[in-house]
Amino acid sequence: MEQVKLYQREGMMKMNNKYKELSIELLNKIISYNAETGTLLWKEMSIETGAALGKNTRGIIIFNSKVAHTAISNITNQGYVRLSIRIKGNKHEYRAHRVAWALHYGEWPVGDMDHINGDRADNRIENIRLVSISDNQRNLCMPKNNTSGQMGVHYDKRIKKWIARISDKNKKVQLGSYVLLEDAIKVRKKAEKDYGYHENHGRKAVKNYEN
């Protein structure tokens, strides 16, 4: 997939053992994914699939009676949906958006991923995308400690003015100091467009977590 290759240059995530051990073929036998709703469901486990995971017959029966057909909905403190799969005695944890991407496109995602609307539990395929590290930083929610109502704008008590700045390629770009808050916000918003920031950048945090 061309999009995967495009973002392998930046924000690389090396494919460690937990991804190597869980093939896409095996993943499809374990979990189903609805791309429109973002829902992931545990599938009923066959003897063959159970054997590939290292489960015995009793373990397969217990899984099918208690887990199969249920939604994967465990949410971390950071707001991501997380799941765990035990493969031949080794327990591996996966973030649901990476699993969703793998099931939809047929390969594990490489690099950073972004939830476009800021809701990290919304794993609809239209809401998740592969991004570089810098692109990911251009779609963040508003920090809780922000006092201006605009990311990249803060008040300098020493000079009694509002300071506007923006980040570009890990460098801070100074946008000037202003007496009026609205002037600083206006300059900052223009800079966000000029530097390719996502339109959702600076949104309010979803639920009780932030970047």
Side-chain angles (χ1 to χ4, degrees):
M1 184 177 175
E2 290 301 316
Q3 190 178 12
V4 173
K5 295 178 181 178
L6 178 65
Y7 289 116
Q8 285 180 341
R9 300 193 308 267
E10 192 174 3
M12 289 288 289
M13 180 197 72
K14 293 183 179 180
M15 301 297 283
N16 59 30
N17 288 336
K18 73 177 183 180
Y19 294 103
K20 292 178 181 178
E21 290 183 19
L22 184 56
S23 67
I24 301 301
E25 180 182 5
L26 182 55
L27 182 64
N28 270 288
K29 293 178 180 179
I30 302 170
I31 299 170
S32 65
Y33 172 58
N34 186 319
E36 293 184 1
T37 65
T39 303
L40 292 159
L41 294 175
W42 294 108
K43 289 184 175 181
E44 187 167 336
M45 189 175 294
S46 67
I47 297 296
E48 178 187 10
T49 300
L53 293 173
K55 287 184 177 294
N56 57 28
T57 302
R58 182 173 181 273
I60 295 171
I61 293 173
I62 292 173
F63 179 90
N64 287 337
S65 64
K66 294 185 177 181
V67 180
H69 309 298
T70 63
I72 295 170
S73 58
N74 179 39
I75 299 180
T76 68
N77 292 335
Q78 292 76 38
Y80 296 104
V81 178
R82 180 181 62 191
L83 60 117
S84 61
I85 299 174
R86 189 174 294 277
I87 305 173
K88 296 181 178 178
N90 297 315
K91 183 179 178 181
H92 299 302
E93 292 188 346
Y94 303 84
R95 285 184 174 177
H97 56 281
R98 305 193 79 86
V99 171
W101 182 277
L103 289 170
H104 188 76
Y105 291 112
E107 57 187 348
W108 286 108
V110 178
D112 280 16
M113 295 190 71
D114 177 45
H115 287 83
I116 297 171
N117 67 3
D119 185 349
R120 294 168 177 171
D122 181 356
N123 293 315
R124 291 172 298 135
I125 201 63
E126 66 181 30
N127 190 50
I128 54 178
R129 59 175 183 158
L130 286 174
V131 293
S132 64
I133 293 175
S134 57
D135 283 339
N136 206 9
Q137 294 299 309
R138 292 187 177 97
N139 187 24
L140 301 177
C141 64
M142 183 79 71
K144 290 181 179 179
N145 61 357
N146 181 279
T147 58
S148 68
Q150 170 65 49
M151 289 184 71
V153 174
H154 71 277
Y155 188 71
D156 189 326
K157 294 180 180 180
R158 182 177 58 83
I159 63 173
K160 297 181 180 180
K161 288 185 178 181
W162 292 95
I163 308 298
R165 63 184 181 184
I166 197 166
S167 296
D168 180 50
K169 299 176 181 178
N170 296 322
K171 295 182 179 179
K172 296 292 184 182
V173 179
Q174 300 300 324
L175 302 173
S177 56
Y178 304 87
V179 174
L180 299 178
L181 173 60
E182 52 263 40
D183 289 339
I185 291 176
K186 183 178 180 180
V187 169
R188 165 68 193 208
K189 285 188 175 297
K190 180 181 183 302
E192 288 181 1
K193 292 182 179 180
D194 293 342
Y195 286 98
Y197 276 60
H198 195 277
E199 62 182 0
N200 288 340
H201 184 76
R203 65 194 176 273
K204 291 185 178 180
V206 178
K207 301 179 181 178
N208 293 316
Y209 61 85
E210 57 182 79
N211 302 288

